Amino acid sequence: MRLAVLSGKGGTGKTTVAVNLALSWTPHRQTTYVDYDVEEPNGFIFLHPQIKTTSTVFLPYPKINGACTLCGKCSAACQYHALAVVGGQVLVFPELCHGCGTCGIVCPEGAVEEVQRPLGQIDEGEREGLQCLQGVLKEGESLAGPVIRELRRHEKEQPSLVEEVIVADCPPGSSCSVIHSAERSDLALLVTEPTLFGLHDLKIAVRLMREMGLEFAVILNKDDGGPLIREYCTLEDITLIGSIPFDLEIAKIYSRGLNLIHEPKWADLFKSLSERIVTEVNQRRAGVDRA
């Protein structure tokens, strides 16, 4: 079972939900937590896993050798403007390069060589039976996609068991990074808050899930008992699978870098939520099988 935990905006409590759900399943199922928010990963701050391996993610970029005739075909073909013929030389801007290799294909002289530059890293660790993965984009870099793809490859290499649960903590928003992180999940959990901003961005996330054809449900965080999100879910026939109350105690626990699952009151809440999620996934699978 693969779960994608998403939010249309930052600050809704997405990581809080993902981390505590992962911890709630760990005693009973083989569970893997994967932090796909590579630009600002913070799940490990709460999990404190023992890091076992760290691998570097590289991206190729062009290096021009002496066979170059300054024809300019490489720079003309580069849609990212990572090359330019200026003053009798070809300038290369590695930070703009997406590693597509087009410049090497169009060069008639074979003057383009590929060299590697570090783009980020993948950390793998464990905490009391919970397998933990995170991607970290190198500071100053803007291309999250290659790190996310490599992180997805590491996720697929984890041992596959019948009772396995993968909790994918996706980036906020609705960008390509979110799509790559969430695709092929059994259920997407859209974490929102009962504000107009929360509703606005929830609508964007819902539209994205429908475009992707993903099954999804909503978790209402900081629930104040108001009707805003509930009325929207009823109107759009969206399952509101659970809620977390607006409570100062939660904020205090979170501010200390601790997990709600270790407090009995909130442990019961997340245990109940995790059971409802499993039931929901099984019911939706059964519905697809019958169809």
Side-chain angles (χ1 to χ4, degrees), residues 155-286:
E155 175 195 315
K156 292 177 180 178
E157 291 177 350
Q158 296 297 304
S160 181
L161 301 172
V162 174
E163 294 296 314
E164 177 188 26
V165 178
I166 296 173
V167 180
D169 189 353
C170 301
S174 56
S175 65
C176 293
S177 297
V178 177
I179 294 172
H180 293 320
S181 305
E183 60 186 355
R184 295 190 296 278
S185 296
D186 294 294
L187 184 67
L189 302 171
L190 309 184
V191 183
T192 190
E193 58 188 11
T195 65
L196 289 174
F197 285 119
L199 177 59
H200 174 271
D201 292 318
L202 174 62
K203 290 178 180 179
I204 295 174
V206 167
R207 188 158 60 245
L208 176 62
M209 294 299 99
R210 287 172 171 166
E211 287 287 336
M212 293 177 65
L214 276 182
E215 296 285 338
F216 65 93
V218 169
I219 294 178
L220 177 57
N221 190 29
K222 307 171 189 175
D223 183 8
D224 59 1
L228 186 65
I229 301 299
R230 288 179 171 84
E231 288 181 353
Y232 169 73
C233 289
T234 300
L235 182 65
E236 291 291 323
D237 193 25
I238 297 170
T239 300
L240 179 59
I241 202 167
S243 66
I244 301 168
F246 182 78
D247 194 302
L248 185 60
E249 182 186 355
I250 293 177
K252 290 179 178 178
I253 294 171
Y254 181 86
S255 68
R256 294 196 298 269
L258 303 177
N259 296 301
L260 300 177
I261 197 72
H262 296 132
E263 297 290 333
K265 176 181 177 181
W266 308 118
D268 290 342
L269 184 150
F270 276 96
K271 180 182 178 182
S272 176
L273 178 58
S274 64
E275 291 172 351
R276 286 200 297 271
I277 290 169
V278 171
T279 300
E280 185 74 16
V281 170
N282 289 337
Q283 288 176 345
R284 297 194 188 201
R285 283 175 174 172

